[in-house]
Amino acid sequence: MIEARLGEVEARFADIIWQNEPLSSRKLAELAEKELAWKRTTTYTVLKRLCDRGLFCNQGGTVTSLVSKQEFFALQSEKFVEDTFDGSLPSFLVAFGSRKKLSDAEIDELQKIIEGMRGQTHG
């Protein structure tokens, strides 16, 4: 099972992978040093942790994602709705809409998304 949570620094590291994959673990260490000021050992430690959590794979020195950034955010969103609103998307939307007024364009976009989902089967 994929753990759909990342700390702030882990998220920045994951973005480096998502934006550059496939990439060598050496190149990843160089990018993490440049963008996060990490030592090579830190990069490999965090990479191993994220691989163990099912997000990435480091095979033969090549790092790739097992879950796309979009899939990860979808999982994260599902978990949030499940944990906070007992899985009820309508309850989430009511709570969200009570604090932020949606524009007509946003409402139209949501209606299009819902209509597009009508009749879809999920396996």
Side-chain angles (χ1 to χ4, degrees):
M1 169 162 265
I2 297 165
E3 186 178 329
R5 256 191 340 207
L6 293 175
E8 182 180 338
V9 175
E10 286 177 330
R12 290 176 55 203
F13 181 70
D15 272 336
I16 292 171
I17 297 171
W18 281 318
Q19 290 171 9
N20 296 283
E21 70 173 318
L23 74 162
S24 69
S25 54
R26 175 181 291 272
K27 178 67 175 172
L28 177 58
E30 291 170 6
L31 290 170
E33 180 180 5
K34 179 183 170 192
E35 295 185 31
L36 303 171
W38 283 5
K39 295 183 191 260
R40 190 171 301 275
T41 53
T42 303
T43 297
Y44 292 137
T45 299
V46 175
L47 177 59
K48 181 177 181 344
R49 185 179 327 136
L50 296 182
C51 288
D52 290 346
R53 288 164 57 184
L55 295 173
F56 300 104
C57 177
N58 182 9
Q59 188 165 5
T62 300
V63 179
T64 57
S65 64
L66 297 173
V67 176
S68 73
K69 186 174 185 177
Q70 293 76 17
E71 290 171 315
F72 176 77
F73 285 127
L75 288 167
Q76 200 173 38
S77 299
E78 288 171 17
K79 180 161 179 35
F80 174 77
V81 170
E82 186 63 41
D83 292 349
T84 309
F85 297 94
D86 294 325
S88 172
L89 186 56
S91 294
F92 165 77
L93 288 172
V94 168
F96 185 85
S98 71
R99 302 264 312 161
K100 180 187 185 295
K101 181 169 176 16
L102 297 176
S103 69
D104 287 343
E106 288 171 320
I107 292 169
D108 289 345
E109 187 174 347
L110 287 171
Q111 284 177 324
K112 285 178 189 173
I113 291 168
I114 291 167
E115 286 302 317
M117 293 175 161
R118 227 178 260 289
Q120 282 185 356
T121 59
H122 298 284

